[in-house]
């Protein structure tokens, strides 16, 4: 396994711009999760996919956020019209079905100026 | 719904001293329990997990945790810490078919010489 890969690792943007993060999960992992982590807090669940189907979204995921996993492999998380409150580390994790063990990537840190 | 409470936000200790990081959870369903470790500017790494079976689980680097159902706790312990153990530690719980993790706010363990 090559591990979960996330890009870019760091993104600085101006308020109002759109940003997109990419996550490549461990191959053959059916499930893919997105989390957000702010300073001094634990990761908070945003959404998850089973294969290409998005099965659950948190209330934290406002209309400006959209996630896709079109072919059941990599996933993208897009934030439109970014706000300063979106500044956080965005973590991606993947797992095999029904194992309960999530493998996390290094995260993508977003700074909104 | 699940929740996790990590009772200490910071734990400073001296090298070679024992340490306990406390974690309590609440859940209406059977749970899986995890401890993750996060080093600065890195993603989360699984330290140990309780899925079923023996209530005492161990990691390869000397940490152990005990699942106590009656007290709804999953405290993390190490008999003798090293400088390299300095990191943020997160307790997490999952339950239900989606296996999403709910994290505590984390405990910063600082090991001083």
């Amino acid at each position: 396994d090559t591990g979960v890969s996330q890009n870019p690792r760091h993104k600085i943007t101006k308020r109002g711009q759109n940003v997109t993060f990419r996550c490549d999960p461990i191959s053959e992992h059916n499930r893919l999760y997105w989390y957000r982590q702010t300073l001094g807090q634990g990761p908070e669940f945003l959404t998850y996919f089973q294969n290409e189907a998005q099965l659950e979204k948190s209330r934290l995921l406002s209309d400006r956020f959209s996630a896709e996993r079109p072919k059941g492999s990599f996933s993208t998380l897009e934030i439109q019209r970014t706000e300063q409150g979106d500044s956080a580390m965005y973590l991606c994790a993947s797992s095999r079905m029904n194992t309960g063990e999530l493998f996390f990537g290094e995260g993508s840190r977003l700074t909104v100026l | 719904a699940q929740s996790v409470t990590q009772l200490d936000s910071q734990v400073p200790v001296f090298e070679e001293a024992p340490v306990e990081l406390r974690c309590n959870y609440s859940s209406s369903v059977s749970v899986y329990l995890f401890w993750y470790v996060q080093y600065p500017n890195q993603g989360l790494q699984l330290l140990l997990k309780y899925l079923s079976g023996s209530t005492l689980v161990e990691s390869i680097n000397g940490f152990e945790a005990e699942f106590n159902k009656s007290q709804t706790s999953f405290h993390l312990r190490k008999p003798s810490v090293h400088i390299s153990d300095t990191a943020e530690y997160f307790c997490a719980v999952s339950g239900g078919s989606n296996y999403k993790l709910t994290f505590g706010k984390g405990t910063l363990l600082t090991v001083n010489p």
Side-chain angles (χ1 to χ4, degrees):
Chain A
D1 289 335
T2 56
V4 177
S5 175
Q6 292 189 245
N7 289 288
R9 291 291 310 279
H10 304 275
K11 179 71 176 179
I12 300 174
T13 190
K14 293 182 179 179
R15 189 177 54 185
Q17 298 295 306
N18 299 342
V19 296
T20 299
F21 300 113
R22 176 178 169 126
C23 172
D24 288 272
I26 294 171
S27 58
E28 299 179 357
H29 275 193
N30 307 91
R31 291 190 170 178
L32 187 147
Y33 302 77
W34 284 100
Y35 283 80
R36 181 172 69 187
Q37 185 179 22
T38 54
L39 200 61
Q41 301 294 318
E44 297 171 299
F45 170 78
L46 292 178
T47 187
Y48 94 99
F49 293 83
Q50 184 170 299
N51 299 314
E52 67 275 8
Q54 187 174 18
L55 297 186
E56 187 174 342
K57 294 193 291 186
S58 162
R59 287 173 295 175
L60 293 174
L61 214 64
S62 76
D63 291 344
R64 298 184 296 106
F65 288 69
S66 62
E68 296 182 343
R69 194 182 183 197
K71 297 182 180 180
S73 57
F74 73 92
S75 175
T76 58
L77 176 68
E78 181 183 16
I79 309 173
Q80 296 181 327
R81 305 181 302 282
T82 53
E83 302 172 357
Q84 288 185 326
D86 296 332
S87 295
M89 176 78 88
Y90 290 86
L91 296 166
C92 176
S94 69
S95 73
R96 296 181 193 276
M97 195 103 68
N98 300 335
T99 64
E101 181 176 347
L102 274 60
F103 293 82
F104 282 84
E106 298 280 315
S108 293
R109 181 171 296 282
L110 173 65
T111 301
V112 182
L113 302 176
Chain B
Q2 295 98 33
S3 68
V4 176
T5 302
Q6 290 186 244
L7 296 161
D8 306 296
S9 60
Q10 297 185 52
V11 173
V13 296
F14 289 108
E15 194 173 18
E16 297 183 6
V19 70
E20 178 180 80
L21 307 184
R22 296 179 293 170
C23 171
N24 287 91
Y25 70 92
S26 67
S27 176
S28 56
V29 298
S30 296
V31 298
Y32 298 151
L33 292 159
F34 304 83
W35 278 98
Y36 281 84
V37 59
Q38 187 175 35
Y39 299 99
N41 298 314
Q42 294 188 23
L44 296 161
Q45 301 174 30
L46 179 66
L47 188 60
L48 46 75
K49 61 187 177 186
Y50 169 77
L51 302 180
S52 64
S54 173
T55 57
L56 182 66
V57 291
E58 298 177 351
S59 73
I60 58 173
N61 57 353
F63 283 95
E64 64 178 31
E66 186 162 18
F67 169 52
N68 188 319
K69 189 174 181 179
S70 63
Q71 297 187 3
T72 60
S73 68
F74 191 55
H75 301 329
L76 181 70
R77 302 183 182 96
K78 188 170 185 178
S80 176
V81 294
H82 303 289
I83 298 282
S84 60
D85 293 324
T86 294
E88 185 110 36
Y89 292 79
F90 293 95
C91 182
V93 61
S94 76
S97 61
N98 59 19
Y99 294 99
K100 74 179 184 185
L101 294 175
T102 299
F103 286 87
K105 291 189 175 182
T107 298
L108 178 62
L109 173 64
T110 304
V111 181
N112 298 301

